[in-house]
Amino acid sequence: MITLALSKGRIFDDSLPLLRAAGIEVLEDPEKSRKLIIGTSRPDLRVVLVRATDVPTYVEHGGADLGVAGLDVLLEHAADASAGSGVALYRPLDLKIARCRLSVAVREDFDYESAVRQGSRIRVATKYTHCARQHFAAKGVHVDLIKLYGSMELAPLTGLADAIVDLVSTGSTLKANHLLEVERIMDISSRLVVNPAALKLQREPIRALIDAFEAAVNKA
Ligand code: ATP
Ligand code: MG
């Protein structure tokens, strides 16, 4: 049995067409069912539904053989885990789904450029503390990072922070909250990750699955 970890929402929705192109139908709709383990049209492949940020952990520790996770999640996870288990995830493929970018945004009335130029300390709220720290360190900007787990947009509006580092796709959430994207840190998409031990033990079927995904990505 091969276990694929997906998260509900964007990643699940965007993975379906790739799975379908690889000849795989998922047998249940996670928005309708409460099941956390769902079968597929392939008797030897099942999907487990986990929180987006838990996908790397499942795959690393063998709770799943493969998974789909955003580059944002993978980079933060790798930074958190670097002192820990040391089990590296094999990352063979950019699936080019759930595309967005990691950006710096500020309130429309905050002069980011002069704050940077003057060398002011900037208070930055984010879920992505590792990526944010690296970005500002490389620019030589002094920041106080404030870790949040959601609704980053609220931080500058309430005075909790001057800036946020968050994912942006259309920019409509920023706009609705009178925030301005002032810097693009990196482009984000979701990646296929594989447990290296699983790849060794089930080389043929997992390799075939990776190849099928790759063909589907190239066709899309
Ligand atoms: P939760 O919503 O359960 O707190 P989450 O916010 O991490 O978890 P999603 O919002 O489903 O989960 O995001 C999952 C992944 O999809 C992210 O890690 C990122 O790679 C990608 N993603 C997030 N926001 C966007 C977006 N606006 N556009 C495109 N892709 C996005
Ligand atoms: Mg979300």
Side-chain angles (χ1 to χ4, degrees):
M1 177 64 73
I2 299 170
T3 302
L4 170 68
L6 297 176
S7 53
K8 271 211 250 189
R10 208 175 332 252
I11 288 188
F12 184 87
D13 298 345
D14 289 3
S15 295
L16 277 190
L18 292 179
L19 286 164
R20 202 163 284 146
I24 299 157
E25 291 291 334
V26 179
L27 298 179
E28 221 137 351
D29 176 356
E31 299 304 330
K32 290 187 188 133
S33 142
R34 287 164 173 269
K35 283 193 192 164
L36 297 175
I37 302 180
I38 32 189
T40 73
S41 53
R42 260 181 64 169
D44 67 334
L45 178 70
R46 63 179 185 174
V47 169
V48 291
L49 296 171
V50 305
R51 192 74 189 262
T53 42
D54 289 336
V55 167
T57 307
Y58 268 82
V59 176
E60 206 169 69
H61 296 280
D65 303 306
L66 311 91
V68 177
L71 181 62
D72 52 321
V73 164
L74 292 173
L75 293 176
E76 290 296 319
H77 177 84
D80 285 344
S82 60
S85 67
V87 187
L89 288 171
Y90 174 47
R91 218 207 275 173
L93 198 57
D94 181 354
L95 297 173
K96 300 182 179 161
I97 58 170
R99 294 173 99 144
C100 52
R101 53 195 187 269
L102 187 69
S103 290
V104 182
V106 299
R107 249 168 66 160
E108 283 166 357
D109 58 4
F110 181 79
D111 191 345
Y112 179 70
E113 284 313 316
S114 14
V116 167
R117 216 177 316 112
Q118 289 162 17
S120 319
R121 273 195 102 77
I122 300 175
R123 294 167 308 152
V124 180
T126 187
K127 182 162 132 182
Y128 303 100
T129 47
H130 172 74
C131 291
R133 185 172 294 115
Q134 232 175 275
H135 171 72
F136 291 112
K139 276 177 62 95
V141 174
H142 298 289
V143 291
D144 290 319
L145 291 176
I146 302 165
K147 169 91 183 183
L148 287 180
Y149 293 89
S151 301
M152 265 75 83
E153 309 83 33
L154 196 55
L157 305 181
T158 54
L160 178 68
D162 306 307
I164 61 173
V165 167
D166 198 6
L167 299 177
V168 181
S169 52
T170 60
S172 54
T173 305
L174 292 182
K175 205 165 174 203
N177 290 295
H178 304 286
L179 299 174
L180 215 59
E181 185 178 4
V182 287
E183 236 161 32
R184 183 189 272 240
I185 299 177
M186 69 176 88
D187 288 327
I188 301 287
S189 58
S190 285
R191 314 296 163 110
L192 186 68
V193 289
V194 182
N195 176 292
L199 183 59
K200 257 186 216 148
L201 291 170
Q202 307 190 71
R203 176 142 211 117
E204 289 310 314
I206 291 181
R207 198 69 249 178
L209 208 51
I210 296 170
D211 291 345
F213 273 121
E214 185 162 24
V217 172
N218 290 334
K219 241 188 338 188

